[in-house]
Amino acid sequence: MRLLVKAPMTGIFFALILGVALSEKFSNLYLIFMTPFLLASVLFLTYERDFKSQYKIFALMIIFSILCSMRVYAVLNEPPKNSKIFKSETGIITQVRQWGKFYVAILKTRSGNYLLNIPFANYVEGMRIKFDGVTRNFKAVNNQNSFDEFKYWRARGVEAKISISNVENLEAKFNLYRLRYLISRWLSINTPNLTGLYLKAALLGERDRDLNSKHSRWGTSHLLAVSGFHVGIVILCASVFIKNNFLLSLILWSYVLLTGAAASTLRAALMLQTGIIAKNLGRPMQNINSVSVAGVLLILNSPYIFWDVGYRLSVIAALTITAIKERADFWKISILVFLTTCAEVTSVFKTVPFAGVIINFFAPLYFAIAFLLASLGALMFYLKIPLAIMLLNSVENLFKLYERISDFIVKIFPLQIHHHEIFEILSIFLLINLILNKLEFSRRREFFITILILPAIYFLLK
C-alpha cells in the first residue's frame, strides 16, 4: 500500500471529508461507519504486495479514522443550545466587519463567542464592554443552496447571536485585538489609499468591500484573502535572516494570529509547521501529506469548517500545487489550480471571469513584489527613515497600474464562465489523478482507481 508509506494522512483526510459529505446527505450517524469503510476501500485499492508489516499501519489508520469520525459526529450532533441571559457580563470585541448594509461584531465572553449585529461601526476591535444581554440561535436552513449562517459562523467559532443592552465601556487594555485596530488605524492615516487597503488585507485580513468587488470582477479575489500565498511570503522573507526553526515558528504563528487566523491561513501555517517539525526530526517532508495533516486537524478542531469556502479552496489549491510543483513551471501550475478549483468557485459565485485565467498568470508574482515593497515602505515610514514617502507613492502607482491592466484585460475578454456539472467531474478527476501520480502509481492503476472512486465522490459532493 504505497499510500501508507508516501502519505498516510491523505487517505484519512479524504475518507473523513467524504464521511462528512455523506452525513450531510443522509444522517450524521453514517459518518462513524462510513469513514473507516471509505478509508479501508482506498487502502485496498492501493494495495501492493512488496511492502512488509503494512497491516499494522492499516489497523492504526482505521482506528484513528474511527476516533476522528467520532469527534466530528459529537460536534455535528450537538443539540441546539438554550438561550443564555447575561447580567453585568464583561466581554471584548474581537472583530468588526461590514455585513451587507450594516456591520457585525464578534463578542468574546467567558462562555464563548457571540455575533452582535450593529447598524454602524460604533465598536472597534479590542474594546472591552460590560453589558446585559440574551442569546438566540441561528435560524436553520433546509435549502442546501441557501446561505447557512449557522454553519458559516460556527466554522468561525461563533456559537449564537446576541442582543445586548445597558452597555458600559470599560478601560481599554492592550491586547491582540487592540493591536490589530491600532495597526489598521495607523495604515489608514499614514499610507496612500490603495497601499493601505492592500496592507490591511495582507497583514490583518481586513477586506475593503469596494476593493473586493473590483477583484471579483478581475477574478483575483484570492489575493485579498490571507492564504498560503501571504504566509509563504512572510516565512520566505523571514528565513533569509533567521535560520532558527523555533523563531521561524514563532513568526509564523504570530502572523497567523495577527491576520485573524482564517481557515486558509491556518491550513498553510499547519502545513509549514509540519515541515519545520519534520526537518528538526531529520525526516523527509512529504508536502501532500502535510496538507492532509493540516486538513484533518482543522476539521477535528472545528468540523463546521468543512462548509467554509475558504477552507475548501485552500485545501484543493494546496493539494494541486504539492502534487505538481516539483515537475511543472509556474504557468502550468496556474492553469491546473484554476481547473481543480473552478467547480468550487463557480458553484459559490455562479460565474467567474475568463479574464481571471489570464490575469492570474502574472498577478501572484506582481503582488508578491508589491506587498514586500509596501510593507518595507510602511516600516520605513514608521521608523522615520528618509525616502519612505517616495517608496510608498511608487507602490501606490504599482497598485494603480495593476488596476488599469486588469480592467484592460477584462474589456478584451469579457466572457464569463458559468457553473456546470461537467466542471465538478473534471475537477475531481484531475485532482485525484494528480495525487495518484504524485504517489507514483502506474498509469493503469491511476486510471482504474480514478474510475472507481470518481462516481462516489461526485455523488457525495454534488
Side-chain angles (χ1 to χ4, degrees):
M1 299 177 185
R2 192 178 297 274
L3 187 65
L4 295 175
V5 178
K6 289 282 186 178
M9 288 301 295
T10 303
I12 294 175
F13 177 57
F14 273 95
L16 188 60
I17 61 172
L18 290 177
V20 175
L22 186 63
S23 69
E24 183 184 28
K25 275 190 171 292
F26 300 102
S27 166
N28 287 341
L29 194 59
Y30 279 78
L31 178 64
I32 296 178
F33 300 104
M34 293 306 297
T35 299
F37 173 77
L38 290 167
L39 175 60
S41 300
V42 171
L43 292 176
F44 279 125
L45 286 172
T46 61
Y47 173 79
E48 293 184 18
R49 294 183 177 180
D50 55 339
F51 291 104
K52 297 180 179 179
S53 303
Q54 55 188 336
Y55 293 107
K56 294 180 180 178
I57 305 176
F58 178 95
L60 289 174
M61 289 179 66
I62 295 296
I63 293 172
F64 183 67
S65 70
I66 293 173
L67 294 175
C68 289
S69 62
M70 291 177 65
R71 154 65 184 173
V72 176
Y73 172 81
V75 175
L76 296 182
N77 212 44
E78 287 178 348
K81 296 183 178 180
N82 297 325
S83 296
K84 292 183 180 180
I85 298 176
F86 295 102
K87 290 289 185 181
S88 299
E89 179 71 15
T90 59
I92 182 171
I93 303 296
T94 62
Q95 187 181 55
V96 178
R97 61 177 291 186
Q98 199 162 7
W99 190 256
K101 296 181 180 180
F102 302 102
Y103 291 83
V104 293
I106 296 178
L107 178 61
K108 182 179 181 179
T109 69
R110 287 174 293 183
S111 61
N113 297 324
Y114 300 97
L115 185 69
L116 178 63
N117 290 300
I118 50 180
F120 307 102
N122 49 352
Y123 293 99
V124 297
E125 293 184 18
M127 179 182 289
R128 297 174 61 247
I129 61 174
K130 180 184 287 187
F131 64 93
D132 298 336
V134 59
T135 66
R136 65 184 189 277
N137 292 326
F138 294 103
K139 293 181 180 179
V141 176
N142 296 323
N143 186 354
Q144 192 173 356
N145 295 322
S146 300
F147 173 71
D148 192 330
E149 63 176 359
F150 171 75
K151 290 177 179 177
Y152 179 87
W153 288 111
R154 281 301 305 270
R156 288 154 179 78
V158 178
E159 295 185 9
K161 294 182 178 180
I162 187 170
S163 299
I164 62 174
S165 60
N166 301 325
V167 181
E168 177 187 347
N169 293 339
L170 301 177
E171 180 183 357
K173 291 183 179 180
F174 187 79
N175 51 57
L176 174 65
Y177 312 110
R178 182 160 180 79
L179 175 62
R180 283 168 49 85
Y181 166 70
L182 293 175
I183 293 175
S184 176
R185 185 180 177 186
W186 187 90
L187 289 172
S188 298
I189 296 173
N190 297 289
T191 59
N193 181 45
L194 282 176
T195 303
L197 293 177
Y198 279 115
L199 282 177
K200 284 192 284 186
L203 299 177
L204 306 173
E206 292 185 16
R207 299 172 67 169
D208 179 76
R209 184 171 64 176
D210 293 333
L211 189 62
N212 189 58
S213 178
K214 290 181 180 179
H215 277 270
S216 296
R217 189 173 73 250
W218 302 327
T220 54
S221 295
H222 57 281
L223 295 175
L224 295 180
V226 182
S227 62
F229 170 68
H230 302 85
V231 175
I233 292 175
V234 170
I235 295 303
L236 181 63
C237 293
S239 62
V240 174
F241 305 98
I242 300 173
K243 303 301 180 183
N244 184 280
N245 290 330
F246 175 78
L247 292 178
L248 283 177
S249 297
L250 185 62
I251 292 172
L252 171 65
W253 292 105
S254 297
Y255 176 69
V256 170
L257 293 175
L258 185 65
T259 58
S264 55
T265 319
L266 286 170
R267 191 274 310 158
L270 286 170
M271 178 181 170
L272 286 171
Q273 188 63 66
T274 303
I276 292 174
I277 293 174
K279 184 178 179 181
N280 284 340
L281 296 175
R283 301 290 300 273
M285 177 183 174
Q286 179 59 266
N287 289 331
I288 203 167
N289 194 59
S290 298
V291 175
S292 301
V293 169
V296 170
L297 290 177
L298 288 174
I299 286 185
L300 293 181
N301 177 65
S302 177
Y304 286 99
I305 206 171
F306 170 80
W307 289 277
D308 183 76
V309 178
Y311 169 77
R312 291 192 183 198
L313 290 175
S314 174
V315 169
I316 293 172
L319 286 172
T320 303
I321 293 170
T322 53
I324 63 177
K325 74 173 188 176
E326 294 179 359
R327 59 180 185 278
D329 54 32
F330 177 79
W331 316 112
K332 184 177 180 181
I333 292 174
S334 297
I335 294 174
L336 289 174
V337 169
F338 171 78
L339 292 175
T340 55
T341 58
C342 184
E344 186 68 29
V345 173
T346 55
S347 67
V348 174
F349 300 104
K350 307 308 177 185
T351 62
V352 294
F354 177 76
V357 181
I358 300 171
I359 296 172
N360 277 299
F361 279 135
F362 67 87
L365 180 59
Y366 191 101
F367 269 84
I369 296 172
F371 279 140
L372 287 174
L373 293 176
S375 301
L376 178 61
L379 180 62
M380 290 173 60
F381 186 86
Y382 180 78
L383 297 175
K384 296 180 171 50
I385 298 175
L387 303 180
I389 294 294
M390 184 181 297
L391 178 57
L392 286 173
N393 288 333
S394 299
V395 175
E396 181 77 0
N397 290 329
L398 280 177
F399 287 127
K400 290 180 179 178
L401 177 61
Y402 173 82
E403 290 193 349
R404 295 192 186 98
I405 294 173
S406 298
D407 282 332
F408 177 72
I409 295 175
V410 170
K411 288 181 180 178
I412 296 177
F413 302 98
L415 298 176
Q416 295 287 321
I417 301 174
H418 298 269
H419 179 70
H420 197 281
E421 289 187 352
I422 191 66
F423 290 151
E424 298 180 11
I425 297 173
L426 291 176
S427 295
I428 297 171
F429 179 88
L430 179 60
L431 183 61
I432 294 172
N433 190 262
L434 287 171
I435 292 173
L436 292 176
N437 190 258
K438 175 70 173 182
L439 298 176
E440 299 178 354
F441 288 103
S442 65
R443 290 291 182 183
R444 180 181 298 178
R445 186 180 285 263
E446 281 182 31
F447 179 79
F448 178 70
I449 295 173
T450 304
I451 293 300
L452 281 178
I453 64 178
L454 177 62
I457 296 178
Y458 172 72
F459 170 75
L460 291 175
L461 300 182
K462 183 177 177 181

